[in-house]
Amino acid sequence: ETGVTQSPTHLIKTRGQQVTLRCSSQSGHNTVSWYQQALGQGPQFIFQYYREEENGRGNFPPRFSGLQFPNYSSELNVNALELDDSALYLCASSLESSGVQETQYFGPGTRLLVL
Amino acid sequence: QQQVKQSPQSLIVQKGGIPIINCAYENTAFDYFPWYQQFPGKGPALLIAIRPDVSEKKEGRFTISFNKSAKQFSLHIMDSQPGDSATYFCAASDNAGNMLTFGGGTRLMVKP
């Protein structure tokens, strides 16, 4: 059983650019959630995808968008990058079965620096 | 109402000591309370989780105490070791797989 993987591990962008982060969910999991973790703070929920549709969204602007693919992997896209977008972006996967959501397991994260 | 408050922000204990980390929440819809451990440069790893129908849960050296009426829960680490030095986050959700609301984290250092 493989865990949650994310790519790239580190990324440097400049203000105004766009970025795409990728996540492969743990084997057997069908739900993916994305979190933003600023330095020294707890993770904040961005959104969740289930069956290729957004299934909940936190307090983030529309320039944060995502996709989930048929194999349950996912992308996080951020447009018009701002300096405050510099953070560790975490992906978490879980299994939804018969209406019951199981525990979320996190990947190692992608460290994004916006200059 | 979605906030989870965690204390202390940092904690230093000697090896063998019992660090205690506390969290408080407001949202009565929260039904699932996990604790995560995070090492520098890594993602959070689930340690232990509890639901409000029990007041205590123990897994190995980690124990969660839960007080539903006070809307508080805490993590105790028995016989702490230098390898336990990490940042610990409490979290809460209305369902295990739904949006997790995290506390601000506690940086624990266990001295040899």
Side-chain angles (χ1 to χ4, degrees):
Chain A
E1 181 180 282
T2 56
V4 179
T5 60
Q6 293 185 244
S7 63
T9 55
H10 296 83
L11 202 53
I12 300 175
K13 291 286 188 177
T14 55
R15 196 170 46 182
Q17 285 188 313
Q18 178 266 343
V19 68
T20 297
L21 310 181
R22 294 177 175 81
C23 171
S24 291
S25 59
Q26 184 167 315
S27 176
H29 286 183
N30 56 15
T31 303
V32 173
S33 302
W34 286 91
Y35 293 80
Q36 180 196 67
Q37 186 177 22
L39 200 61
Q41 297 182 25
Q44 284 196 299
F45 176 77
I46 303 174
F47 44 55
Q48 183 181 81
Y49 277 83
Y50 170 65
R51 290 186 176 178
E52 301 177 53
E53 291 191 1
E54 190 176 288
N55 186 41
R57 188 177 184 94
N59 190 26
F60 280 81
R63 59 189 185 84
F64 285 78
S65 63
L67 284 172
Q68 186 182 31
F69 300 100
N71 66 353
Y72 306 124
S73 65
S74 177
E75 284 183 357
L76 165 65
N77 298 289
V78 187
N79 294 320
L81 283 167
E82 300 176 359
L83 298 180
D84 284 349
D85 295 333
S86 296
L88 180 68
Y89 287 85
L90 295 162
C91 169
S93 74
S94 57
L95 173 66
E96 202 241 86
S97 176
S98 302
V100 177
Q101 282 279 0
E102 302 292 336
T103 300
Q104 296 180 51
Y105 293 91
F106 284 83
T110 293
R111 174 74 62 186
L112 172 65
L113 177 62
V114 182
L115 300 176
Chain B
Q1 199 179 23
Q2 291 292 320
Q3 206 172 14
V4 175
K5 295 182 180 178
Q6 183 172 345
S7 63
Q9 286 187 313
S10 63
L11 191 54
I12 301 174
V13 300
Q14 293 293 134
K15 177 183 173 182
I18 306 175
I20 300 173
I21 305 170
N22 301 297
C23 284
Y25 64 97
E26 290 294 326
N27 189 346
T28 55
F30 285 152
D31 190 45
Y32 173 74
F33 303 88
W35 284 89
Y36 284 85
Q37 179 190 58
Q38 187 175 30
F39 292 104
K42 304 290 185 182
L46 179 68
L47 271 179
I48 184 172
I50 197 168
R51 294 191 185 272
D53 52 346
V54 297
S55 60
E56 187 174 280
K57 183 175 180 180
K58 185 175 181 179
E59 285 185 5
R61 295 185 294 109
F62 300 96
T63 300
I64 299 180
S65 297
F66 187 85
N67 185 329
K68 187 174 181 178
S69 61
K71 290 186 284 186
Q72 295 176 349
F73 58 110
S74 60
L75 176 71
H76 297 60
I77 305 176
M78 305 301 176
D79 187 28
S80 58
Q81 302 296 314
D84 296 329
S85 297
T87 300
Y88 292 81
F89 292 97
C90 63
S93 173
D94 63 356
N95 187 301
N98 286 347
M99 177 185 86
L100 289 166
T101 300
F102 282 84
T106 296
R107 181 174 287 186
L108 172 66
M109 179 185 292
V110 181
K111 289 189 170 182

